């Protein structure tokens, strides 16, 4: 097990005091068999009233309502958790699903719903063609194919951190040969769905286990901000994590915060202000992850 504290600070700056509309935050992980929350904190300046709800996917959502103007908005969320990650060797798939193609059990199909559907146009089947070669190389082995896809994205595409909101379409990522972690997750989701598999988008945080052994930050790609990857539903194993940005399989270095059918449904922080376009002076995001072998060392 690993203990860690994540602190996520977002700061918006404005040329003059502005009023803020409601802001929507996805910042609180859910307790699960692989993650136990020990403490959570949320600080917002200027002051805001906060109400909590669960969205259609069961994610915890905080809605912040503001009552005063300000020339700066600062939101700091943090949590301490105990992580029990699953290693790739522990991913056990039912015999009938170990080779592609396979069909999900009837009782799963209706619940998986649109997570099995392609969401973005691909009229020339370019994503399909890119994916097919790895199915052939893996001789149809399900986990080997998914691992090969995860590794191929990291090997073939250049990582480009983008501050602007939204994601590239899968075809844009394929054409550009570059993208952010959100772009890579979305691209691989469509690749996986082209094989008839269910996939969903995950937003959260990344940490490096080497920090347990050394004070030197090995800086996995996607650290220092929110991170994105995907899950694929595999009979017998359930929802399994794949991070194409770092070629990671399994949840060993990943902390889930939000899970959704599409990237547009898992935005960590969204909101607006009332003012002139020129009032916006930009924003900054800082994420720190402290890792320790015991909670007392954090």
């Amino acid at each position: 097990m690993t203990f860690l504290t994540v602190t996520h600070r977002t700061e918006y700056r404005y040329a003059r005091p502005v009023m803020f509309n409601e802001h929507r935050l996805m910042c609180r992980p859910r307790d699960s068999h692989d993650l136990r929350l020990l403490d959570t904190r949320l600080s917002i300046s200027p002051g805001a009233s906060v109400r909590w709800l669960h969205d259609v996917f069961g994610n915890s959502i905080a809605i912040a309502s503001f009552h005063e103007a300000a020339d700066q908005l600062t939101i700091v969320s943090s949590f301490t958790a105990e992580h029990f990650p699953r290693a790739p060797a522990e991913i056990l798939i039912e015999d009938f699903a170990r080779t592609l193609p396979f069909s999900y059990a009837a009782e799963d199909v209706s619940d998986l719903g649109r997570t099995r559907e392609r969401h973005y146009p691909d009229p020339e089947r370019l994503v399909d063609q890119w994916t097919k070669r790895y199915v052939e190389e893996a001789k149809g082995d399900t986990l080997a194919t998914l691992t090969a896809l995860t590794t191929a994205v990291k090997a073939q595409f250049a990582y480009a951190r983008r501050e602007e909101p939204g994601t590239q379409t899968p075809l844009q990522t394929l054409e550009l040969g570059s993208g952010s972690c959100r772009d890579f997750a979305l691209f691989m989701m469509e690749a996986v769905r082209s094989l008839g598999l269910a996939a969903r988008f995950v937003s959260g945080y990344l940490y490096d286990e080497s920090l347990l052994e050394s004070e030197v930050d090995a800086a996995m790609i996607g650290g220092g901000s929110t991170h994105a990857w995907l899950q694929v539903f595999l009979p017998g194993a359930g929802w399994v994590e794949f991070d194409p940005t770092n070629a990671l399989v399994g949840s060993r270095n990943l902390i889930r915060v939000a899970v959704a059918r599409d990237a547009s449904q898992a935005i960590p922080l969204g909101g607006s202000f009332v003012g002139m376009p020129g009032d916006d002076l930009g924003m900054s995001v800082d994420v720190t992850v402290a890792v320790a072998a015991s909670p007392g060392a954090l």
Side-chain angles (χ1 to χ4, degrees):
M1 71 185 72
T2 301
F3 293 89
L4 51 91
T5 293
V6 176
T7 302
H8 183 165
R9 178 187 179 91
T10 305
E11 184 176 287
Y12 298 88
R13 299 176 303 281
Y14 303 91
R16 62 188 178 89
V18 299
M19 287 299 299
F20 303 103
N21 294 320
E22 280 190 346
H23 279 56
R24 183 177 187 270
L25 294 79
M26 306 178 84
C27 57
R28 180 190 174 100
R30 285 180 293 180
D31 282 294
S32 183
H33 61 274
D34 60 354
L35 183 74
R36 183 167 70 95
L37 281 178
L38 303 178
D39 182 49
T40 64
R41 297 166 295 280
L42 178 62
S43 172
I44 302 176
S45 177
S49 56
V50 178
R51 61 187 176 91
W52 290 88
L53 57 89
H54 289 106
D55 68 6
V56 69
F57 305 107
N59 300 309
S60 290
I61 309 295
I63 305 295
S65 300
F66 299 86
H67 310 290
E68 60 182 287
D71 60 5
Q72 182 171 303
L73 171 61
T74 303
I75 300 174
V76 181
S77 63
S78 62
F79 63 85
T80 299
E82 188 176 10
H83 194 212
F84 304 86
R86 177 171 63 176
E90 299 172 0
I91 300 173
L92 302 177
I93 304 175
E94 295 282 359
D95 289 343
F96 77 88
R98 290 182 180 175
T99 304
L100 296 168
F102 67 84
S103 297
Y104 288 112
E107 59 267 26
D108 290 332
V109 170
S110 59
D111 292 323
L112 292 172
R114 295 199 63 203
T115 61
R116 299 171 60 222
E117 297 177 9
R118 299 284 291 273
H119 285 38
Y120 297 84
D122 184 14
E124 297 179 18
R125 300 290 182 181
L126 297 180
V127 175
D128 302 58
Q129 294 172 31
W130 183 88
T131 307
K132 184 178 179 182
R133 77 186 74 170
Y134 299 103
V135 180
E136 294 173 347
E137 289 177 6
K139 297 181 173 55
D141 181 277
T142 301
L143 188 56
T145 297
L146 294 171
T147 301
L149 293 175
T150 306
T151 303
V153 172
K154 177 175 172 55
Q156 295 180 25
F157 296 84
Y159 175 77
R161 183 170 178 171
R162 296 189 299 107
E163 297 297 338
E164 60 269 24
T167 54
Q168 298 170 174
T169 68
L171 289 182
Q172 286 175 320
T173 299
L174 187 60
E175 179 181 356
L176 292 170
S178 65
S180 66
C181 58
R182 297 174 72 85
D183 302 323
F184 294 159
L186 188 63
F187 174 79
M188 186 169 162
M189 284 170 64
E190 288 293 282
V192 165
R193 287 168 173 169
S194 76
L195 302 175
L197 302 181
R200 58 188 188 182
F201 186 90
V202 189
S203 177
Y205 301 101
L206 173 75
Y207 72 92
D208 193 331
E209 282 189 317
S210 68
L211 296 176
L212 287 171
E213 308 297 333
S214 170
E215 294 183 0
V216 177
D217 188 349
M220 284 188 174
I221 299 173
S225 184
T226 54
H227 190 52
W229 60 96
L230 68 147
Q231 293 178 329
V232 180
F233 187 79
L234 300 174
W239 290 105
V240 178
E241 256 85 0
F242 295 89
D243 176 10
T245 303
N246 293 286
L248 298 175
V249 178
S251 62
R252 193 164 190 84
N253 302 90
L254 303 169
I255 303 297
R256 292 182 307 277
V257 172
V259 177
R261 173 177 50 80
D262 186 67
S264 62
Q265 300 165 313
I267 299 173
L269 173 60
S272 60
F273 70 94
V274 179
M276 301 299 292
D279 290 339
D280 185 0
L281 298 181
M283 64 173 289
S284 61
V285 178
D286 180 63
V287 174
T288 59
V289 181
V291 184
S294 65
L298 289 171

